């Protein structure tokens, strides 16, 4: 446990943001190499991603390690604890495997905070032939699963025609006015959207001078929805609204996805129940999330669409607190956080061993997922 707390503390003291987590990746891969894992950093375009493999063949259980920090806030989302717990669980599961068939796979997943490292890794095939993906997230609740929505951002650009607003105003086509009208149209949609769906936009370009009718205006719109399908519907509404505004104002419009899409999280009830049972031995009892509460989005959603996955929340501070705050960053070095790290690491390791050893559990997890495992090559 001293090793894991040392790793967590070192990461906390040296925060690195999305896609720049070079020292964090070096620290984690160094520990995995020392334990005999085959470490590779060969995910195309992701120099701070890595995989570390021990064993061979199926079944394969993946422990996911996050380690990116927040700009200006450091580890105010607890990723230093996620990394340390994933590391410890991988080491313990490998030791418990003791030469038995199967593979323990530690996956370093950079840039959860906006870059979508797991989504990019999934596209690159990192999670092919994996039977379960396990991680936890520190929080302010003890919840057995994460109510995480689907999310993506779109860049909308209106093109008009510049003119002098006094000298020849009728020659101008005001792109900024069109963008503002889109905001008004979207505001009118709000009360008609399903639960957990919303659109939040900002203006990123509104013109260059007050004495020029803006010929170009641009906004970025963040879309969230309870499911990935609902997100598709919301994106269609955005495109339809933007096209209608362009037709009404005489502008032209482009609508382009601006970020990696985060799919909604699909919890594996069989695996989450097994993890919760292990964690309860440490006196931490997990409950379902509060109805109607959604806690943002994460690229674990993209992984959970491919295979059974878990992403429980375990509290390191009271429910009146919040992550992404200086107070949460401070709580990440508390004695409570240290105790949570020890308990969660053991529960993750036990669940990983169960995945490797228990055919019935794996079958139940895949059946609940609604798909079949990818055959081994």
């Amino acid at each position: 446990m001293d090793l894991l707390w040392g790793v967590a503390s070192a990461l906390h003291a040296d925060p690195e943001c999305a896609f720049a987590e070079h020292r964090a990746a070096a620290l984690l891969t160094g520990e995995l190499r020392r334990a005999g894992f085959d470490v590779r950093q060969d995910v195309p375009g992701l120099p701070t991603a890595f995989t570390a493999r021990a064993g061979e063949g199926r079944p394969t259980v993946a422990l996911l390690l996050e380690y990116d920090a927040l700009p200006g806030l450091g580890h105010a989302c607890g990723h230093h604890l996620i990394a340390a717990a994933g590391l410890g669980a991988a080491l313990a599961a490998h030791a418990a495997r003791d030469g038995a068939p199967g593979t323990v796979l530690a996956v370093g997943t950079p840039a959860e905070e906006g870059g979508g490292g797991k989504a990019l890794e999934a596209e690159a095939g990192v999670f092919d032939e994996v039977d379960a993906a396990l991680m936890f997230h520190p929080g302010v609740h003890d919840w057995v699963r994460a109510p995480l929505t689907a999310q993506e951002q779109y860049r909308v650009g209106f093109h008009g025609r510049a003119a002098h607003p006094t000298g020849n105003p009728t020659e101008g086509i005001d792109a900024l006015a069109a963008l503002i009208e889109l905001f008004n149209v979207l505001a009118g949609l709000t009360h008609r959207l399903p639960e957990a769906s919303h659109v939040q936009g900002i203006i990123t370009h509104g013109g260059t001078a007050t004495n020029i009718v803006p010929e170009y205006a641009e906004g970025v719109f963040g879309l969230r929805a309870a499911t990935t399908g609902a997100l598709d519907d919301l994106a269609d509404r955005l495109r339809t609204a933007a096209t209608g505004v362009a037709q009404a104002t005489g502008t032209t419009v482009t609508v382009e996805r601006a970020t990696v899409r985060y799919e909604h999280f699909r919890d594996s009830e069989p695996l989450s129940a097994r993890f919760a049972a292990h964690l309860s031995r440490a006196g931490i009892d997990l409950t379902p999330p509060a109805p109607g509460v959604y806690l943002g989005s994460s690229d674990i959603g993209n992984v959970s669409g491919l295979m059974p996955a878990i992403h429980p929340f375990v509290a390191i501070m009271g429910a009146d607190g919040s992550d992404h705050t200086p107070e949460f960053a401070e709580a990440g070095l508390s004695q409570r956080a240290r105790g949570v790290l020890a308990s969660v690491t053991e529960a993750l390791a036990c669940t990983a061993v169960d995945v490797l050893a228990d055919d019935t559990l794996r079958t139940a997890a895949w059946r609940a997922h609604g798909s079949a495992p990818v055959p081994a090559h």
Side-chain angles (χ1 to χ4, degrees):
M1 183 57 208
D2 288 344
L3 168 65
L4 300 184
W5 187 245
V7 167
S9 299
L11 294 174
H12 191 282
D14 186 19
E16 298 167 291
C17 295
F19 298 123
E21 316 95 327
H22 298 284
R23 294 182 298 278
L27 174 62
L28 296 165
T29 55
E31 295 297 341
L32 289 160
R33 283 193 180 95
R34 275 188 283 277
F37 281 71
D38 176 20
V39 176
R40 301 186 182 185
Q41 292 175 269
D42 56 0
V43 181
L46 297 178
T48 57
F50 64 84
T51 60
R53 187 178 300 269
E56 59 182 358
R58 302 286 285 277
T60 297
V61 61
L63 284 307
L64 308 188
L65 287 65
E66 295 178 2
Y67 36 87
D68 60 315
L70 289 161
L73 285 175
H75 279 290
C77 201
H79 291 190
H80 63 301
L81 298 173
I82 297 173
L87 170 65
L91 298 179
H94 173 43
R97 193 181 60 83
D98 193 26
T103 301
V104 177
L105 179 67
V107 183
T109 64
E112 187 276 336
E113 298 289 356
K118 295 183 197 65
L120 299 174
E121 288 175 326
E123 292 175 1
V126 169
F127 297 102
D128 292 353
E129 301 184 29
V130 172
D131 293 286
L134 312 179
M135 66 173 291
F136 102 105
H137 202 296
V140 299
H141 303 285
D142 292 324
W143 284 352
V144 70
R145 63 176 176 85
L148 299 173
T149 60
Q151 185 267 346
E152 62 188 343
Q153 295 184 28
Y154 281 86
R155 182 176 293 105
V156 179
F158 284 95
H159 301 261
R161 184 167 60 235
H164 194 286
T166 303
N168 57 342
T170 60
E171 296 299 315
I173 300 177
D174 194 333
L176 179 59
L179 179 59
I180 291 172
E181 184 59 26
L182 177 60
F183 275 89
N184 293 332
V185 171
L186 294 174
L189 286 176
T190 300
H191 69 283
R192 296 163 49 198
L193 296 178
E195 182 183 49
S197 290
H198 74 266
V199 181
Q200 180 68 46
I202 60 171
I203 295 175
T204 55
H205 184 81
T208 57
T210 59
N211 61 350
I212 303 173
V213 174
E215 65 178 340
Y216 180 71
E218 180 184 282
V220 173
F221 295 84
L223 281 60
R224 293 184 191 266
T227 67
T228 306
L231 184 65
D232 288 336
D233 293 340
L234 192 56
D236 287 342
R237 291 194 184 203
L238 174 65
R239 294 188 191 94
T240 299
T243 300
V245 167
Q247 291 174 343
T249 58
T251 58
T252 59
V253 66
T254 57
V255 181
E256 301 173 341
R257 186 182 294 168
T259 59
V260 174
R261 163 181 285 202
Y262 285 12
E263 298 180 5
H264 75 277
F265 176 64
R266 303 159 176 85
D267 179 58
S268 174
E269 290 188 12
L271 296 183
S272 287
R274 185 65 62 93
F275 172 84
H278 288 307
L279 190 62
S280 68
R281 296 199 300 267
I284 301 175
D285 295 319
L286 302 181
T287 63
V293 173
Y294 298 91
L295 296 180
S297 307
S298 175
D299 51 6
I300 183 63
N302 300 59
V303 178
S304 72
L306 301 176
M307 74 206 65
I310 67 170
H311 185 290
F313 280 104
V314 182
I316 62 169
M317 67 183 302
D320 57 343
S322 173
D323 59 1
H324 290 215
T325 63
E327 292 77 17
F328 196 85
E330 183 178 350
L333 284 182
S334 66
Q335 285 303 305
R336 180 174 180 177
R338 183 168 185 162
V340 165
L341 175 60
S343 300
V344 164
T345 299
E346 180 178 349
L348 283 172
C350 290
T351 307
V353 171
D354 289 345
V355 169
L356 294 175
D358 190 338
D359 291 344
T360 301
L361 177 63
R362 289 197 307 277
T363 299
W366 277 110
R367 184 178 295 119
H369 190 264
S371 60
V374 176
H377 292 317

